[in-house]
Structure formats: C-alpha cells, structure tokens
Amino acid sequence: MAEQKSIHGLWRSRWLFILAATGSAVGLGNIWKFPYITGENGGGAFVLVYLACICVIGIPVMIAEVTLGRLGRQSPINTMHALVKDQNAAKFWGGIGWMGAVSGFLILSFYSVIAGWSLAYIFRMAGGAFDGATAQSVGTIFGDLLGNPEALLGWHTIFMVLTIGIVARGVNKGLERSISILMPLLFLILVVLLGYSMSTEGFGAAFNFLFSFDFSKITAESIVVALGHAFFTLSLGMGAIMAYGAYMPKSASVGKTVLTVAFLDTLIALVAGLVIFPIVFSNGLEAGAGPGLLFQTLPLAFSQMPAGTVFGTLFFLLVAFAALSSAISLGEPVVAWAVESKGMSRVAAATWIGIVIWLLGVGTILSFNLWADFKIFGRTIFDNLDFLTANILLPLGGLLIAIFVGWVMHKQDVADEVKMESPFMYNVWRFLVKFVAPVAVAIVLINGLI
Ligand code: PFF
C-alpha cells in the first residue's frame, strides 16, 4: 500500500508512542481489575494462564494491530476499509473497525463509572475519611458510595468531561505531555506502596497466592477470563492500538516497541497484585471480594502508614490519571472516524460521542444500586457489559485481526511493514499470528460461549 498520511498528527517520537500506548494499556485493568479477578479465580494458576495469553496471543496480536494502523494511518474503521480495498479482500473484514467501535462505546461507558470511583476516593482520602479505618469501616464507605446513584452519576460525568476534553484537543496537545509525567509518577507511587506491602506480615502469603501455580485450580471459566483480560489490559481487539499505531512514526520498529509496552503493562499489573494482596492477607480480608477489592484494601493500608493521607490521595489521583489515559484511547478511534468521514470538527465529534457514552454509563451506575437485582443471564448490566466486551468482543476482534494479517493480507505487504531485524523472530511472530493465536482464541471463545 502506498505511504499514507495521518490528518490527526503523529507522535513526536517512538518513545511518545510507547508512552501513549502504555498509557492506554495501563489503567483500571491493571490496578483494579487484575487483582480482583486474580482473587476470584484462585491466584497463581490464573496468573500463569494470563501470562501465557499475553506472550502467545496478546503480543503477536498487538504487533498485528499496530501494523494495520500504521499502514492505514486513519481511524480503525477507515483503515480497515482502505486495507480491504488495497488487498482485494472481502468486505466482511471491514467489520473489524465497526465492531471495535461498538466495543469502545460499551467499554468506555462502564470504565468511566469505575474511574469515577477513584475520583470520589481522591476526595475521601484527602478529607480524612479513612483516618483510623477498620476493615469494616472501609467496607461501609465503599458500600455507601455504590448505593448512591447521584454521586456515581456526578463522578461519571466529571470523568467523561475530562476524557472528552482531552480527545477534543487532539493527539499532540496535552496528551503527550501529561502522559510523560504521569506514567513515571504512577510507577513511583506503586513502588513506594510495594515497599510498604513488603513490610506487612501478609507479604509471603500474597507472594505464594500469586506465584504458586496450582494447576488443579485452572477451570474453563478462568481461562476465558484470563484470555479476555489479556486483550483488555493490552487494549487489544477494538482499534485503540490500531488508532495509536496510525500515529506512529515510520522509523520505529513495531516489534520492539510492542514488547516494551507489553512488558511495562504486565509489570505494573504484577506490582499492583503484590501491593494489594499482602494487605488483604494481613487484614483478614477476602481475596475474592470482587470489584471492590482495590477500594477496600488500599484505604486500609493508607490509614495505617505514616503520611498515609498524602500517599492515599496521590495514589487515587494517579489511578484516575491512569484511567484517563486509557479512556482517551477508547474514545479516539470513533472520534477520529467522525472527523474523517462525517466532516465534523474534533470538538463536535468528541462531544456527541461523549454524550452517547455518558448515557450508556447510566446502566452501569444503576446496576450497583437501584437495578442491582435486574439480571440478564444471571448478571447485572455492568457484569454483562464487562463479560460481553472483555470475554467476547475483544477476543473476537483480536481473532479477526490475526486472521486478516496472517491469512488475508499479502505476505510481502505485511513483511515490509513489520520489518523485524531478526528473520527468526519474524517467523516466530508469523507462526503465532497465523496459527496459535487464531486457534487458541477460537477454542477459548467457543468453550466460553457453550
Ligand atoms: N487497557 C485498559 C486497562 O487495562 O485499563 C483498558 C482498555 C483501554 C481496554 C482501551 C481497551 C481499550 F481499547
């Protein structure tokens, strides 16, 4: 395909792409979701399956997705259209872009609500709500927040406004600069917390819980969740990484860049687990506590440590920023499409799309309180959105991307764009994308659905 130009701008360097993609990857998935689903799925065995999914499926699919984006240099929907034409492929493959757009809407609608919890906690922490906290009082504070739909709506609204505000300003202004400050800060705070967790008596138990691989604990359900989470945490299968790839300079090596992003993302998830579980075990909390895990363990830890109020406030601030840098990447693909194809200004596109997503978020808010008993397939609205996106749509998107790059596109076009220095590594990647990823994802998806 002839060299394309992005009308939205480019990242100023390979490192800025790494930071932006890491900003997209590192978010609530790492700090909030990974620890609690690990708790729900029994610990070590789950972690092992998750790591395998990242290496064997996640990384190869990420390379494929970035490659598509950089070839097309447009929003995922238009990139896929252009590639379908250029490669003489069946129209069907254009559906990858559209399906991603739907996934993005659904994910952002609940993501923003949870990110709103972290906003609320910044103020609870700073206001001293957790001074002298006990396991019980943190539970009550969390329960009160979830039971209050107006409060949740308020925080969700603020978070959506922030997200839209940034997407509306475009790729270069603000986003690049804020991410390059916030990501290292987040990591620093996590390391400080890790130091604290290591000093608690529960650290050994937590380490064993996370890294002793008891294979008898692996179930079909936990494999579906681990695979789904590999896609979710790396922001794969819905076009976020494709959109970011569209702004990646030509000179950067896709393979090395993706490896760096995946490494950082995994590291941060594991560190988050090593921060949270020692606190769980030291305080006799429940590892399988579900979505509230982060919001109940950490306030307890902060209430016990010196200068805990300061660290606690800072921590939830950074969680909110990590969520924001991911939320932006959820909004960007569709906004970029509306700018390209509907002739809208960025501001108008971001506003309209944001309003629709904001409205969808109300379903998630109510599923924690007024509609908590309203269940479809035995799940609340929030649980259904989470399950549908992470466990079905993202893996399905990833599967189609792998097949498109591995089987449908001309071999030479792919090779020219991926351009790995080592032919051996290139062949490994090609094998994983062509055979391993599609087969593994298909098996897991079919099993999961049955
Ligand atoms: N990767 C983000 C996280 O782990 O929190 C969530 C996410 C962002 C998922 C962007 C999908 C996506 F396209």
PDB file of all heavy atoms in Angstrom, residues 24-30 107 111 229 231-236 238-241 265 322 326-327 329-330 394, ligand 1:
ATOM      1  N   SER A  24      -2.452   3.845  27.390  1.00  0.00           N
ATOM      2  CA  SER A  24      -3.700   3.166  27.039  1.00  0.00           C
ATOM      3  C   SER A  24      -3.788   1.819  27.734  1.00  0.00           C
ATOM      4  O   SER A  24      -4.813   1.451  28.309  1.00  0.00           O
ATOM      5  CB  SER A  24      -3.770   2.978  25.518  1.00  0.00           C
ATOM      6  OG  SER A  24      -4.788   2.060  25.194  1.00  0.00           O
ATOM      7  N   ALA A  25      -2.697   1.081  27.709  1.00  0.00           N
ATOM      8  CA  ALA A  25      -2.708  -0.271  28.274  1.00  0.00           C
ATOM      9  C   ALA A  25      -2.821  -0.253  29.797  1.00  0.00           C
ATOM     10  O   ALA A  25      -3.614  -0.985  30.381  1.00  0.00           O
ATOM     11  CB  ALA A  25      -1.438  -1.013  27.841  1.00  0.00           C
ATOM     12  N   VAL A  26      -2.026   0.603  30.430  1.00  0.00           N
ATOM     13  CA  VAL A  26      -2.044   0.637  31.888  1.00  0.00           C
ATOM     14  C   VAL A  26      -3.213   1.471  32.362  1.00  0.00           C
ATOM     15  O   VAL A  26      -3.310   2.653  32.044  1.00  0.00           O
ATOM     16  CB  VAL A  26      -0.733   1.247  32.436  1.00  0.00           C
ATOM     17  CG1 VAL A  26      -0.832   1.448  33.939  1.00  0.00           C
ATOM     18  CG2 VAL A  26       0.439   0.347  32.096  1.00  0.00           C
ATOM     19  N   GLY A  27      -4.089   0.856  33.089  1.00  0.00           N
ATOM     20  CA  GLY A  27      -5.256   1.594  33.563  1.00  0.00           C
ATOM     21  C   GLY A  27      -5.958   0.793  34.633  1.00  0.00           C
ATOM     22  O   GLY A  27      -5.331   0.025  35.367  1.00  0.00           O
ATOM     23  N   LEU A  28      -7.258   0.961  34.692  1.00  0.00           N
ATOM     24  CA  LEU A  28      -8.035   0.234  35.692  1.00  0.00           C
ATOM     25  C   LEU A  28      -7.838  -1.268  35.553  1.00  0.00           C
ATOM     26  O   LEU A  28      -7.915  -2.007  36.515  1.00  0.00           O
ATOM     27  CB  LEU A  28      -9.515   0.576  35.528  1.00  0.00           C
ATOM     28  CG  LEU A  28      -9.871   2.043  35.792  1.00  0.00           C
ATOM     29  CD1 LEU A  28     -11.324   2.303  35.422  1.00  0.00           C
ATOM     30  CD2 LEU A  28      -9.626   2.384  37.252  1.00  0.00           C
ATOM     31  N   GLY A  29      -7.576  -1.703  34.313  1.00  0.00           N
ATOM     32  CA  GLY A  29      -7.368  -3.129  34.079  1.00  0.00           C
ATOM     33  C   GLY A  29      -6.238  -3.676  34.932  1.00  0.00           C
ATOM     34  O   GLY A  29      -6.327  -4.772  35.481  1.00  0.00           O
ATOM     35  N   ASN A  30      -5.169  -2.907  35.060  1.00  0.00           N
ATOM     36  CA  ASN A  30      -4.009  -3.376  35.813  1.00  0.00           C
ATOM     37  C   ASN A  30      -4.197  -3.231  37.317  1.00  0.00           C
ATOM     38  O   ASN A  30      -3.859  -4.117  38.086  1.00  0.00           O
ATOM     39  CB  ASN A  30      -2.758  -2.565  35.439  1.00  0.00           C
ATOM     40  CG  ASN A  30      -2.523  -2.554  33.959  1.00  0.00           C
ATOM     41  OD1 ASN A  30      -3.361  -2.084  33.195  1.00  0.00           O
ATOM     42  ND2 ASN A  30      -1.408  -3.106  33.547  1.00  0.00           N
ATOM     43  N   ILE A 107     -17.216  -0.313  26.429  1.00  0.00           N
ATOM     44  CA  ILE A 107     -16.191  -0.335  27.483  1.00  0.00           C
ATOM     45  C   ILE A 107     -16.106   1.026  28.161  1.00  0.00           C
ATOM     46  O   ILE A 107     -16.135   1.135  29.382  1.00  0.00           O
ATOM     47  CB  ILE A 107     -14.800  -0.733  26.931  1.00  0.00           C
ATOM     48  CG1 ILE A 107     -14.822  -2.155  26.393  1.00  0.00           C
ATOM     49  CG2 ILE A 107     -13.735  -0.615  28.023  1.00  0.00           C
ATOM     50  CD1 ILE A 107     -13.515  -2.614  25.770  1.00  0.00           C
ATOM     51  N   TYR A 111     -16.242   1.913  32.055  1.00  0.00           N
ATOM     52  CA  TYR A 111     -14.903   2.303  32.510  1.00  0.00           C
ATOM     53  C   TYR A 111     -14.960   3.647  33.229  1.00  0.00           C
ATOM     54  O   TYR A 111     -14.334   3.856  34.258  1.00  0.00           O
ATOM     55  CB  TYR A 111     -14.005   2.402  31.282  1.00  0.00           C
ATOM     56  CG  TYR A 111     -12.525   2.242  31.544  1.00  0.00           C
ATOM     57  CD1 TYR A 111     -11.964   0.987  31.667  1.00  0.00           C
ATOM     58  CD2 TYR A 111     -11.689   3.354  31.630  1.00  0.00           C
ATOM     59  CE1 TYR A 111     -10.612   0.827  31.873  1.00  0.00           C
ATOM     60  CE2 TYR A 111     -10.334   3.200  31.837  1.00  0.00           C
ATOM     61  CZ  TYR A 111      -9.791   1.944  31.955  1.00  0.00           C
ATOM     62  OH  TYR A 111      -8.451   1.782  32.162  1.00  0.00           O
ATOM     63  N   HIS A 229      -8.889 -10.944  29.714  1.00  0.00           N
ATOM     64  CA  HIS A 229      -8.151  -9.881  30.383  1.00  0.00           C
ATOM     65  C   HIS A 229      -6.867  -9.528  29.647  1.00  0.00           C
ATOM     66  O   HIS A 229      -6.447  -8.371  29.644  1.00  0.00           O
ATOM     67  CB  HIS A 229      -7.851 -10.233  31.839  1.00  0.00           C
ATOM     68  CG  HIS A 229      -7.296  -9.064  32.572  1.00  0.00           C
ATOM     69  ND1 HIS A 229      -8.020  -7.902  32.749  1.00  0.00           N
ATOM     70  CD2 HIS A 229      -6.064  -8.817  33.096  1.00  0.00           C
ATOM     71  CE1 HIS A 229      -7.264  -7.010  33.373  1.00  0.00           C
ATOM     72  NE2 HIS A 229      -6.079  -7.535  33.584  1.00  0.00           N
ATOM     73  N   PHE A 231      -6.519  -9.360  26.510  1.00  0.00           N
ATOM     74  CA  PHE A 231      -6.938  -8.390  25.497  1.00  0.00           C
ATOM     75  C   PHE A 231      -7.276  -7.040  26.126  1.00  0.00           C
ATOM     76  O   PHE A 231      -6.871  -5.996  25.637  1.00  0.00           O
ATOM     77  CB  PHE A 231      -8.146  -8.914  24.712  1.00  0.00           C
ATOM     78  CG  PHE A 231      -7.761  -9.896  23.646  1.00  0.00           C
ATOM     79  CD1 PHE A 231      -7.826 -11.256  23.860  1.00  0.00           C
ATOM     80  CD2 PHE A 231      -7.290  -9.446  22.419  1.00  0.00           C
ATOM     81  CE1 PHE A 231      -7.448 -12.172  22.880  1.00  0.00           C
ATOM     82  CE2 PHE A 231      -6.903 -10.341  21.434  1.00  0.00           C
ATOM     83  CZ  PHE A 231      -6.986 -11.713  21.668  1.00  0.00           C
ATOM     84  N   PHE A 232      -8.024  -7.108  27.226  1.00  0.00           N
ATOM     85  CA  PHE A 232      -8.455  -5.864  27.869  1.00  0.00           C
ATOM     86  C   PHE A 232      -7.256  -5.049  28.335  1.00  0.00           C
ATOM     87  O   PHE A 232      -7.147  -3.863  28.067  1.00  0.00           O
ATOM     88  CB  PHE A 232      -9.373  -6.207  29.050  1.00  0.00           C
ATOM     89  CG  PHE A 232     -10.005  -5.016  29.703  1.00  0.00           C
ATOM     90  CD1 PHE A 232     -11.160  -4.443  29.179  1.00  0.00           C
ATOM     91  CD2 PHE A 232      -9.462  -4.456  30.857  1.00  0.00           C
ATOM     92  CE1 PHE A 232     -11.753  -3.338  29.781  1.00  0.00           C
ATOM     93  CE2 PHE A 232     -10.052  -3.354  31.464  1.00  0.00           C
ATOM     94  CZ  PHE A 232     -11.201  -2.799  30.925  1.00  0.00           C
ATOM     95  N   THR A 233      -6.339  -5.715  29.021  1.00  0.00           N
ATOM     96  CA  THR A 233      -5.238  -4.974  29.625  1.00  0.00           C
ATOM     97  C   THR A 233      -4.283  -4.412  28.567  1.00  0.00           C
ATOM     98  O   THR A 233      -3.678  -3.365  28.775  1.00  0.00           O
ATOM     99  CB  THR A 233      -4.473  -5.836  30.654  1.00  0.00           C
ATOM    100  OG1 THR A 233      -3.598  -4.991  31.405  1.00  0.00           O
ATOM    101  CG2 THR A 233      -3.664  -6.934  30.001  1.00  0.00           C
ATOM    102  N   LEU A 234      -4.157  -5.095  27.431  1.00  0.00           N
ATOM    103  CA  LEU A 234      -3.286  -4.548  26.385  1.00  0.00           C
ATOM    104  C   LEU A 234      -4.058  -3.649  25.418  1.00  0.00           C
ATOM    105  O   LEU A 234      -3.530  -3.213  24.400  1.00  0.00           O
ATOM    106  CB  LEU A 234      -2.598  -5.683  25.617  1.00  0.00           C
ATOM    107  CG  LEU A 234      -1.550  -6.502  26.391  1.00  0.00           C
ATOM    108  CD1 LEU A 234      -0.996  -7.623  25.516  1.00  0.00           C
ATOM    109  CD2 LEU A 234      -0.402  -5.622  26.875  1.00  0.00           C
ATOM    110  N   SER A 235      -5.318  -3.390  25.720  1.00  0.00           N
ATOM    111  CA  SER A 235      -6.173  -2.541  24.864  1.00  0.00           C
ATOM    112  C   SER A 235      -6.316  -3.094  23.446  1.00  0.00           C
ATOM    113  O   SER A 235      -6.358  -2.339  22.480  1.00  0.00           O
ATOM    114  CB  SER A 235      -5.629  -1.103  24.758  1.00  0.00           C
ATOM    115  OG  SER A 235      -5.453  -0.533  26.020  1.00  0.00           O
ATOM    116  N   LEU A 236      -6.413  -4.412  23.343  1.00  0.00           N
ATOM    117  CA  LEU A 236      -6.428  -5.020  22.008  1.00  0.00           C
ATOM    118  C   LEU A 236      -7.822  -5.388  21.534  1.00  0.00           C
ATOM    119  O   LEU A 236      -8.720  -5.582  22.337  1.00  0.00           O
ATOM    120  CB  LEU A 236      -5.608  -6.317  22.033  1.00  0.00           C
ATOM    121  CG  LEU A 236      -4.129  -6.157  22.310  1.00  0.00           C
ATOM    122  CD1 LEU A 236      -3.469  -7.518  22.310  1.00  0.00           C
ATOM    123  CD2 LEU A 236      -3.513  -5.249  21.255  1.00  0.00           C
ATOM    124  N   MET A 238     -10.057  -3.825  19.675  1.00  0.00           N
ATOM    125  CA  MET A 238     -11.130  -2.863  19.411  1.00  0.00           C
ATOM    126  C   MET A 238     -10.660  -1.629  18.652  1.00  0.00           C
ATOM    127  O   MET A 238     -11.435  -0.707  18.428  1.00  0.00           O
ATOM    128  CB  MET A 238     -11.827  -2.445  20.701  1.00  0.00           C
ATOM    129  CG  MET A 238     -10.946  -1.735  21.675  1.00  0.00           C
ATOM    130  SD  MET A 238     -11.721  -0.267  22.360  1.00  0.00           S
ATOM    131  CE  MET A 238     -11.549   0.904  21.045  1.00  0.00           C
ATOM    132  N   GLY A 239      -9.405  -1.611  18.271  1.00  0.00           N
ATOM    133  CA  GLY A 239      -8.956  -0.493  17.445  1.00  0.00           C
ATOM    134  C   GLY A 239      -8.211   0.603  18.182  1.00  0.00           C
ATOM    135  O   GLY A 239      -7.679   1.514  17.553  1.00  0.00           O
ATOM    136  N   ALA A 240      -8.173   0.534  19.521  1.00  0.00           N
ATOM    137  CA  ALA A 240      -7.457   1.592  20.244  1.00  0.00           C
ATOM    138  C   ALA A 240      -5.989   1.602  19.827  1.00  0.00           C
ATOM    139  O   ALA A 240      -5.411   2.651  19.508  1.00  0.00           O
ATOM    140  CB  ALA A 240      -7.570   1.378  21.750  1.00  0.00           C
ATOM    141  N   ILE A 241      -5.408   0.409  19.814  1.00  0.00           N
ATOM    142  CA  ILE A 241      -3.990   0.318  19.474  1.00  0.00           C
ATOM    143  C   ILE A 241      -3.785   0.529  17.968  1.00  0.00           C
ATOM    144  O   ILE A 241      -2.754   1.033  17.527  1.00  0.00           O
ATOM    145  CB  ILE A 241      -3.455  -1.037  19.975  1.00  0.00           C
ATOM    146  CG1 ILE A 241      -3.340  -0.995  21.507  1.00  0.00           C
ATOM    147  CG2 ILE A 241      -2.129  -1.409  19.342  1.00  0.00           C
ATOM    148  CD1 ILE A 241      -2.348   0.016  22.056  1.00  0.00           C
ATOM    149  N   ASP A 265       3.206  -3.049  30.867  1.00  0.00           N
ATOM    150  CA  ASP A 265       1.831  -3.302  31.294  1.00  0.00           C
ATOM    151  C   ASP A 265       1.763  -4.490  32.256  1.00  0.00           C
ATOM    152  O   ASP A 265       1.103  -4.425  33.294  1.00  0.00           O
ATOM    153  CB  ASP A 265       0.964  -3.571  30.060  1.00  0.00           C
ATOM    154  CG  ASP A 265      -0.480  -3.761  30.442  1.00  0.00           C
ATOM    155  OD1 ASP A 265      -1.126  -2.749  30.795  1.00  0.00           O
ATOM    156  OD2 ASP A 265      -0.972  -4.903  30.432  1.00  0.00           O
ATOM    157  N   ALA A 322      -4.351   7.253  35.315  1.00  0.00           N
ATOM    158  CA  ALA A 322      -4.114   6.044  34.519  1.00  0.00           C
ATOM    159  C   ALA A 322      -5.382   5.684  33.762  1.00  0.00           C
ATOM    160  O   ALA A 322      -5.351   5.300  32.589  1.00  0.00           O
ATOM    161  CB  ALA A 322      -3.668   4.892  35.416  1.00  0.00           C
ATOM    162  N   SER A 326      -6.237   5.788  29.530  1.00  0.00           N
ATOM    163  CA  SER A 326      -6.827   4.651  28.817  1.00  0.00           C
ATOM    164  C   SER A 326      -8.146   5.064  28.165  1.00  0.00           C
ATOM    165  O   SER A 326      -8.444   4.671  27.032  1.00  0.00           O
ATOM    166  CB  SER A 326      -7.108   3.493  29.775  1.00  0.00           C
ATOM    167  OG  SER A 326      -5.922   3.055  30.363  1.00  0.00           O
ATOM    168  N   ALA A 327      -8.925   5.851  28.897  1.00  0.00           N
ATOM    169  CA  ALA A 327     -10.237   6.262  28.387  1.00  0.00           C
ATOM    170  C   ALA A 327     -10.095   7.039  27.079  1.00  0.00           C
ATOM    171  O   ALA A 327     -10.882   6.879  26.142  1.00  0.00           O
ATOM    172  CB  ALA A 327     -10.949   7.118  29.433  1.00  0.00           C
ATOM    173  N   SER A 329      -7.953   6.599  24.836  1.00  0.00           N
ATOM    174  CA  SER A 329      -7.714   5.692  23.709  1.00  0.00           C
ATOM    175  C   SER A 329      -8.976   4.912  23.349  1.00  0.00           C
ATOM    176  O   SER A 329      -9.070   4.335  22.277  1.00  0.00           O
ATOM    177  CB  SER A 329      -6.560   4.736  24.035  1.00  0.00           C
ATOM    178  OG  SER A 329      -6.960   3.778  24.978  1.00  0.00           O
ATOM    179  N   LEU A 330      -9.936   4.884  24.272  1.00  0.00           N
ATOM    180  CA  LEU A 330     -11.209   4.246  23.945  1.00  0.00           C
ATOM    181  C   LEU A 330     -12.064   5.177  23.084  1.00  0.00           C
ATOM    182  O   LEU A 330     -12.842   4.744  22.246  1.00  0.00           O
ATOM    183  CB  LEU A 330     -11.963   3.888  25.230  1.00  0.00           C
ATOM    184  CG  LEU A 330     -11.444   2.652  25.967  1.00  0.00           C
ATOM    185  CD1 LEU A 330     -11.865   2.665  27.431  1.00  0.00           C
ATOM    186  CD2 LEU A 330     -11.947   1.387  25.296  1.00  0.00           C
ATOM    187  N   LEU A 394     -13.638  -8.358  22.500  1.00  0.00           N
ATOM    188  CA  LEU A 394     -12.204  -8.096  22.289  1.00  0.00           C
ATOM    189  C   LEU A 394     -11.478  -9.331  21.748  1.00  0.00           C
ATOM    190  O   LEU A 394     -10.735  -9.219  20.757  1.00  0.00           O
ATOM    191  CB  LEU A 394     -11.529  -7.582  23.563  1.00  0.00           C
ATOM    192  CG  LEU A 394     -12.030  -6.239  24.115  1.00  0.00           C
ATOM    193  CD1 LEU A 394     -11.178  -5.783  25.293  1.00  0.00           C
ATOM    194  CD2 LEU A 394     -12.045  -5.168  23.037  1.00  0.00           C
TER     195      LEU A 394
HETATM  196  N1  PFF B   1      -6.173  -1.351  28.784  1.00  0.00           N
HETATM  197  C1  PFF B   1      -7.027  -0.591  29.646  1.00  0.00           C
HETATM  198  C2  PFF B   1      -6.831  -1.048  31.066  1.00  0.00           C
HETATM  199  O1  PFF B   1      -6.157  -2.052  31.305  1.00  0.00           O
HETATM  200  O2  PFF B   1      -7.379  -0.417  31.954  1.00  0.00           O
HETATM  201  C3  PFF B   1      -8.476  -0.673  29.255  1.00  0.00           C
HETATM  202  C4  PFF B   1      -8.722  -0.536  27.795  1.00  0.00           C
HETATM  203  C5  PFF B   1      -8.330   0.618  27.127  1.00  0.00           C
HETATM  204  C6  PFF B   1      -9.300  -1.568  27.107  1.00  0.00           C
HETATM  205  C7  PFF B   1      -8.509   0.706  25.762  1.00  0.00           C
HETATM  206  C8  PFF B   1      -9.495  -1.480  25.747  1.00  0.00           C
HETATM  207  C9  PFF B   1      -9.090  -0.343  25.104  1.00  0.00           C
HETATM  208  F1  PFF B   1      -9.262  -0.268  23.826  1.00  0.00           F
END
